[in-house]
């Protein structure tokens, strides 16, 4: 037998062409109903977060005008009743005017300085007492008359006390203080506030305000100082 006779013919499948995979995209099949029910919808809200979850909302801390007014009123009331500024006032002596008061710290325009503290009385009672004082030349004038809610009042600070407001001198030409009437729970207070910015060491002055001819005749310095 020849060598050719011993060669075995290959099987027809030995040279089969390789299978070519299809390049066409397979369309996804639609969701099938289970038990005849439609699949539940996707809750998009569970995957969406609000920006406020990460950045808290800023709430306004601004105060209303009414709140600011009440706080300022409470602060003024406390300063009056605790005599907070008495330690910032210094008594000094002047050859021409006698005793006076200087500031020991700066005061800003509109700031409370001190109270003109004395005995509060109605006008008629005060005028009778003023007449008695006039009989004694050694008694100085420490009575301050003013009007509040259409009624006339007077603070009599004639008696010697530790309160320094009664020693503040007069000036019609260069005052750095002005008077103001305030009331807390029916209690009337005559206070002095800064008319302008006041420096430390500066003498405190305010206009006594009395311009009646009789008073000016006895006290000409009321209009000249």
């Amino acid at each position: 037998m020849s060598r050719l006779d011993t060669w075995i013919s290959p099987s027809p499948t030995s040279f089969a062409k390789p299978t070519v995979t299809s390049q066409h995209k397979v369309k996804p099949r639609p969701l099938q109903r289970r038990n005849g029910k439609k699949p539940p919808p996707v809750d998009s809200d569970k995957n969406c977060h609000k920006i406020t979850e990460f950045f808290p909302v800023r709430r306004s801390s601004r105060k209303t005008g009414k709140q600011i007014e009440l706080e300022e009123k409470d602060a003024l009331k406390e300063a009056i009743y605790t005599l907070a500024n008495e330690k910032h006032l210094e008594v000094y002596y002047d050859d021409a005017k006698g005793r006076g008061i200087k500031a020991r710290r700066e005061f800003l325009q509109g700031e409370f300085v001190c109270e003109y503290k004395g005995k509060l009385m109605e006008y008629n009672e005060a005028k009778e007492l003023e007449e008695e004082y006039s009989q004694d030349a050694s008694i100085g004038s420490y009575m301050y008359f003013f009007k509040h809610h259409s009624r006339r009042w007077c603070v009599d600070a004639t008696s010697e006390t530790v309160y320094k407001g009664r020693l503040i001198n007069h000036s019609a030409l260069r005052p750095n203080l002005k008077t103001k009437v305030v009331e807390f729970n029916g209690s009337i207070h005559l206070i002095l506030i800064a008319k302008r910015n006041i420096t430390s060491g500066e003498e405190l002055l305010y206009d006594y305000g009395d311009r009646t001819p009789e008073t000016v005749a006895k006290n000409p310095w009321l209009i000249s100082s």
Side-chain angles (χ1 to χ4, degrees):
M1 181 181 293
S2 67
R3 293 181 179 179
L4 292 176
D5 294 333
T6 61
W7 182 76
I8 300 174
S9 170
S11 169
T13 59
S14 300
F15 296 99
K17 294 182 179 180
T19 304
V20 179
T21 304
S22 174
Q23 299 298 318
H24 296 290
K25 293 182 179 179
V26 179
K27 294 183 179 180
R29 290 185 297 174
L31 294 173
Q32 299 296 322
R33 294 175 180 267
R34 294 181 180 179
N35 300 325
K37 296 182 180 180
K38 187 177 180 180
V42 177
D43 189 355
S44 60
D45 290 341
K46 291 183 179 179
N47 298 319
C48 297
H49 297 273
K50 296 180 180 180
I51 193 169
T52 53
E53 294 180 34
F54 308 102
F55 301 97
V57 177
R58 286 188 177 182
R59 300 188 182 277
S60 176
S61 60
R62 294 181 181 177
K63 298 178 181 179
T64 64
K66 188 66 175 178
Q67 287 176 313
I68 295 174
E69 182 181 351
L70 289 174
E71 288 181 0
E72 290 178 347
K73 186 176 181 180
D74 289 341
L76 175 60
K77 181 180 178 180
E78 182 178 0
I80 291 173
Y81 285 122
T82 61
L83 307 174
N85 286 340
E86 289 289 324
K87 61 181 178 291
H88 301 304
L89 307 179
E90 178 185 356
V91 180
Y92 83 103
Y93 186 82
D94 181 84
D95 291 337
K97 296 185 292 186
R99 289 180 297 177
I101 299 294
K102 289 184 178 181
R104 297 182 65 181
R105 72 165 175 86
E106 293 182 350
F107 288 95
L108 300 179
Q109 182 178 0
E111 186 178 354
F112 166 73
V113 176
C114 67
E115 180 180 5
Y116 189 83
K117 201 168 179 64
K119 182 180 179 181
L120 179 69
M121 58 185 68
E122 294 194 18
Y123 178 81
N124 292 336
E125 180 186 359
K127 293 302 289 184
E128 292 178 3
L129 191 57
E130 184 182 41
E131 181 63 27
E132 292 181 18
Y133 290 158
S134 66
Q135 306 302 317
D136 188 345
S138 65
I139 299 178
S141 178
Y142 294 90
M143 305 186 79
Y144 193 98
F145 292 87
F146 63 96
K147 184 179 288 187
H148 179 59
H149 291 332
S150 301
R151 293 180 64 182
R152 291 186 292 180
W153 299 88
C154 175
V155 172
D156 179 16
T158 302
S159 298
E160 193 73 25
T161 65
V162 297
Y163 307 120
K164 301 182 180 72
R166 63 186 292 275
L167 299 179
I168 297 176
N169 287 316
H170 162 83
S171 177
L173 305 179
R174 51 187 182 87
N176 51 21
L177 301 177
K178 61 181 179 180
T179 58
K180 181 179 181 179
V181 181
V182 295
E183 184 174 346
F184 300 110
N185 301 323
S187 179
I188 298 173
H189 301 268
L190 180 65
I191 65 174
L192 293 160
I193 61 176
K195 190 173 183 178
R196 57 168 173 78
N197 291 345
I198 299 172
T199 60
S200 178
E202 186 176 351
E203 183 184 8
L204 300 179
L205 302 164
Y206 72 101
D207 187 350
Y208 290 177
D210 193 346
R211 299 289 191 275
T212 58
E214 181 182 358
T215 304
V216 172
K218 295 180 181 179
N219 305 281
W221 48 267
L222 285 172
I223 58 175
S224 61
S225 62

